[in-house]
Amino acid sequence: MSGEHDLLIDLHRGTERQGPGGTAETLRAVELAGLDRAAPLRIADLGCGTGASAKVLARALDADVIAVDTAEPFLEELRAAIAADPALARITTLNRSIDDLPFAEGELDVIWSEGAVYTIGFEAGVAGWRRFLKPGGTLVVSELTWLTGKRPAELHERWSGEYPEVDVASAKLAVLERHGYRPEGYFVLPERCWRDTYYAPLEARFDPFLERHGHRAEAVALVAAEREEIAFQRRYAAYVGYGVYVATRHDG
Ligand SMILES: C[S@@+](CC[C@H](N)C(=O)[O-])C[C@H]1O[C@@H](n2cnc3c(N)ncnc32)[C@H](O)[C@@H]1O
């Protein structure tokens, strides 16, 4: 293992979630989407990581869940969890980029994606994924979002530089409308979805990670960058967070 990408995966593997989120919030989105718990569904979970949301969906719904990611170590972890728990038997894994998906037109009842669309850009993601949904099918996607109309300049400049698509919820909803979706709902992930389910388990991994990598420069730099990002997000949590967007494919 040498590259920065491999180090990043090594730091995050073994955690329940690789981004902000929570079981209660995944279930809240299921409710908001009005998904029928008794109907057989075909769901793709895009950028699934180690499968936190895929597992919640498999347990809560009568669903085949295709969990898609390009990080094989994350998919390996998910496959081990599937093998150990019969309730997860209907999850399958797919190592494929979320901008190059093999699904047929109209194949899916639901597209789910927590904390991953930013890797290909929100607009490109939702526009490209739409055709895989059945008419009336549901999209649930979480995305970095400005929570207020105004924000400190330091915050604005940093995130606009790192992710130019960061915007307010009304702009995200407009993107969905422009690309043939009917917005059905939106909520903000509460702060504990960052603090308790994402950052705390990650912070607990810093020291063992540094030990494992002999405190070499790349590993030390990665941990320093993660610590800085955590501190920055904590400082500005009132202004920026993750929005969860629920929309349906609208035809006509
Ligand atoms: C912030 S993590 C979120 C993981 C998971 N959904 C969660 O909420 O815990 C983003 C995930 O997207 C994956 N990813 C990044 N680019 C991707 C791509 N082009 N195609 C598929 N997965 C990708 C990463 O490997 C990582 O697992």
Side-chain angles (χ1 to χ4, degrees), residues 1 5-15 18 74 201-210 212-213 219 222-223 226:
M1 180 180 313
H5 183 68
D6 290 341
L7 281 175
L8 198 62
I9 288 174
D10 185 55
L11 179 59
H12 285 267
R13 65 188 302 188
T15 54
Q18 293 74 49
F74 291 166
L202 187 60
E203 285 173 313
R205 293 179 61 79
F206 288 161
D207 287 342
F209 170 82
L210 290 171
R212 216 164 42 245
H213 294 281
L222 178 60
V223 167
E226 295 269 356

Side-chain angles (χ1 to χ4, degrees), residues 145-166:
T145 299
W146 296 134
L147 306 180
T148 55
K150 290 183 185 165
R151 63 206 68 91
E154 179 195 32
L155 171 66
H156 187 90
E157 276 155 32
R158 171 157 174 175
W159 272 123
S160 302
E162 284 188 25
Y163 183 51
E165 280 190 65
V166 61

